[in-house]
Amino acid sequence: MAIFAQTHTKPAPTDHPVHELIRERWSPRAYSDRPVERPVLARLFEAARWAPSSSNQQPWSFIFGEQGSSGYQRIFDALVPFNQGWVKSAPVLAIGLARKNSANGSPNHYALYDLGQAVGLLLVEATSLGLAVHEMAGFDAEKARTNLNIPETHDLGAIMTIGYAGDPNTLPDALKERELAPRTRNPLAQFVFEDAFGEVANLKRA
Ligand SMILES: Cc1cc2nc3c(=O)[nH]c(=O)nc-3n(C[C@H](O)[C@H](O)[C@H](O)COP(=O)(O)O)c2cc1C
């Protein structure tokens, strides 16, 4: 089976070689109606489970809902209208949460950082399975908290779609244009420094 058996792919035009799982990951807005089987979902959360975390506190949790379920609707209802517009074709929605405090009650300042790492591994696993995940910050956090019964002990990360990328032609024109637009990133010289902040690293040396 081809790993990247997607309707549309957008490999990153990298300046340096990277692993194909990193090159091929992207955030589509069009999804096929192919469901995501439970063992596949389990693999994604298993990948998240093995992320590193500060003092191995594993502050993350996830709530997911399958299309047609009350959980899906609860997550969907918290999204801003722009995201609701395209998300409706995705078979699974999920939200990542981070437990705010350590076991001793002191704030864990790395909780959201660790959640981000866990989601990063989930994204890599998803890519390896030909799945696509699209994260979203465009949602009403208080609505999500209420709808999903999320306690104040937890911070909200991002909502994400999980599914198989679909045909960009199913999107309205403006979104289709974005779906097909080239991917861009800042150059390394803008954010990788050597020896001190602002000192551009020479990464060309052998
Ligand atoms: C924390 C976070 C929040 C995001 N919020 C939204 C969002 O609300 N709506 C949306 O369409 N895309 C959202 N995105 C997707 C980004 O726009 C996308 O990752 C970025 O443009 C890079 O594209 P790529 O993931 O295809 O490389 C979000 C991504 C992240 C990581």
Side-chain angles (χ1 to χ4, degrees):
M1 183 193 95
I3 293 182
F4 306 119
Q6 297 184 359
T7 309
H8 180 61
T9 58
K10 280 222 292 197
T14 61
D15 291 342
H16 302 272
V18 295
H19 195 282
E20 63 178 336
L21 291 175
I22 293 167
R23 206 172 55 241
E24 297 291 335
R25 183 216 61 80
W26 69 295
S27 306
R29 292 191 175 87
Y31 289 87
S32 83
D33 55 11
R34 182 176 165 190
V36 182
E37 311 292 351
R38 291 289 159 133
V40 171
L41 272 183
R43 277 185 68 156
L44 302 188
F45 294 120
E46 184 71 24
R49 179 183 174 213
W50 289 98
S53 63
S54 172
S55 299
N56 201 18
Q57 290 183 81
Q58 307 161 63
W60 47 73
S61 30
F62 297 90
I63 304 171
F64 76 89
E66 258 185 334
Q67 204 168 55
S69 71
S70 59
Y72 188 100
Q73 196 59 43
R74 286 189 198 118
I75 301 174
F76 181 88
D77 287 344
L79 290 168
V80 297
F82 169 78
N83 286 329
Q84 286 183 341
W86 59 265
V87 149
K88 51 183 182 285
S89 66
V92 175
L93 285 176
I95 183 168
L97 311 172
R99 196 175 49 250
K100 293 178 191 174
N101 288 344
S102 303
N104 67 7
S106 63
N108 176 5
H109 298 295
Y110 289 93
L112 282 168
Y113 180 95
D114 292 344
L115 170 65
Q117 295 205 92
V119 173
L121 292 192
L122 183 155
L123 296 180
V124 172
E125 185 70 16
T127 309
S128 80
L129 297 167
L131 282 159
V133 174
H134 192 136
E135 295 168 83
M136 288 164 280
F139 67 94
D140 180 329
E142 278 322 301
K143 206 181 257 185
R145 194 179 281 287
T146 305
N147 291 359
L148 296 159
N149 207 16
I150 299 166
E152 287 297 335
T153 48
H154 286 64
D155 271 329
L156 279 59
I159 290 179
M160 65 197 96
T161 57
I162 302 174
Y164 295 92
D167 182 354
N169 291 310
T170 58
L171 293 169
D173 283 349
L175 288 182
K176 180 179 163 187
E177 201 176 304
R178 285 169 74 166
E179 196 84 338
L180 300 176
R183 299 177 61 206
T184 59
R185 287 299 191 272
N186 297 326
L188 293 190
Q190 203 169 315
F191 66 92
V192 182
F193 305 130
E194 186 168 1
D195 297 332
F197 187 85
E199 293 187 19
V200 176
N202 178 1
L203 294 167
K204 290 203 177 114
R205 261 194 332 234

